[in-house]
Amino acid sequence: MSSDGATGPGRRLRARAVHRVTPDAVGQRVSIRHLVVTGHGTLPQATDVVGRLLGYEDGVLALIDRRGQLALVDEAAIVASRVIPPHPRLPPEPADVGTTEHPLARDAARVLLLDAADRVLLVAHRASPTRTVWTAPGGGLRPDEDHLTAARRELTEELGLVAEVGPQVWHRDVTFTYAGVHLAQRERWFLARVEAWDPVTAPLDDPGLIDVRWWTHAELEATDAVVAPRTLADHLLTLLRDGAPSAPVDVGR
């Protein structure tokens, strides 16, 4: 039982753990134990990630491992963390990456999910303490994972949703900052459809992910919210009118 009397696997782990990594540790090598949900409806499980801390902003930690893989960790899910020394035998994690001069290159997949009324599902990311961006569900590829596999996985992890995904309809290259890390992201967008789905059931299990909703084309055209890509409304209208393109379309930033 934890000190406040709450029970459950996550609370018990927290009661025995110490979180020592702070934003001052950016640039250092750290070890993080945190809780993750391995499947929709399952209990959180503790897992470990080790790497160089590239960013720590607005409750999200960004680490890079020696393979160059980026990991994002929600501060609220951490059960133990510490700064650790370099490994005595293995090569170090990349150092000069994730900066304005050297953004971290990352391949990603997103799902352009439409319902029977031709609404598009977008998720809101808190990109920084003062900036929220609405875009399609998706994220970075894991090692040895192709874009289509990543698109399906991200749809399940973020939304708890299984759908037929494909074909690829769009692509874009974009540079942006997330959790204090500068990323140069190469995205492939895949089309998927569902008859109906209630976003209230979404687990929203990614760090920085704060909201999800359906949007009509008219709402996208009228909104003052930040939407990515900026031309999403125009390209969505073309897709709804003409169907999936014969080759993926560059939708810009």
Side-chain angles (χ1 to χ4, degrees):
M1 180 175 289
S2 67
S3 58
D4 62 2
T7 60
R11 306 295 285 181
R12 287 196 295 271
L13 284 168
R14 278 187 182 278
R16 298 195 298 267
V18 178
H19 177 26
R20 294 193 175 98
V21 172
T22 70
D24 292 336
V26 169
Q28 299 186 64
R29 190 167 186 259
V30 300
S31 175
I32 308 289
R33 168 157 284 212
H34 62 115
L35 297 176
V36 297
V37 177
T38 57
H40 185 47
T42 63
L43 292 175
Q45 301 293 321
T47 189
D48 297 294
V49 58
V50 173
R52 189 179 305 280
L53 186 64
L54 295 184
Y56 193 147
E57 188 174 272
D58 201 29
V60 178
L61 291 76
L63 296 81
I64 187 170
D65 66 19
R66 60 175 50 89
R67 302 168 299 176
Q69 183 77 11
L70 183 69
L72 299 172
V73 178
D74 188 341
E75 178 182 64
I78 294 176
V79 294
S81 70
R82 61 192 177 99
V83 176
I84 58 176
H87 196 284
R89 293 181 300 277
L90 297 177
E93 293 81 9
D96 190 20
V97 293
T99 64
T100 305
E101 298 78 14
H102 303 287
L104 177 63
R106 188 178 189 230
D107 286 306
R110 297 199 179 278
V111 179
L112 187 70
L113 184 66
L114 305 178
D115 71 358
D118 286 337
R119 296 181 301 174
V120 61
L121 192 85
L122 301 182
V123 294
H125 292 268
R126 185 177 288 120
S128 74
T130 59
R131 179 178 169 83
T132 296
V133 179
W134 288 88
T135 190
L141 273 64
R142 293 176 177 172
D144 303 321
E145 187 177 50
D146 61 42
H147 288 78
L148 184 57
T149 301
R152 291 169 177 152
R153 174 182 54 76
E154 289 285 346
L155 198 61
T156 301
E157 287 182 353
E158 289 187 8
L159 305 179
L161 182 62
V162 176
E164 185 64 32
V165 178
Q168 182 188 346
V169 290
W170 298 346
H171 67 89
R172 72 171 187 149
D173 293 346
V174 60
T175 302
F176 60 96
T177 302
Y178 192 78
V181 180
H182 294 270
L183 299 171
Q185 190 153 283
R186 301 175 294 262
E187 297 181 354
R188 297 184 186 180
W189 289 54
F190 296 86
L191 181 64
R193 279 192 175 272
V194 292
E195 285 299 310
W197 181 73
D198 188 352
V200 75
T201 64
L204 298 181
D205 198 39
D206 275 9
L209 196 60
I210 59 173
D211 201 1
V212 55
R213 56 162 286 199
W214 291 105
W215 295 71
T216 66
H217 177 261
E219 288 172 333
L220 286 174
E221 284 195 315
T223 186
D224 292 327
V226 178
V227 176
R230 300 167 186 165
T231 56
L232 192 149
D234 293 338
H235 287 287
L236 176 62
L237 181 62
T238 300
L239 186 142
L240 293 175
R241 183 190 64 217
D242 301 336
S246 58
V249 173
D250 185 350
V251 293
R253 298 183 62 190

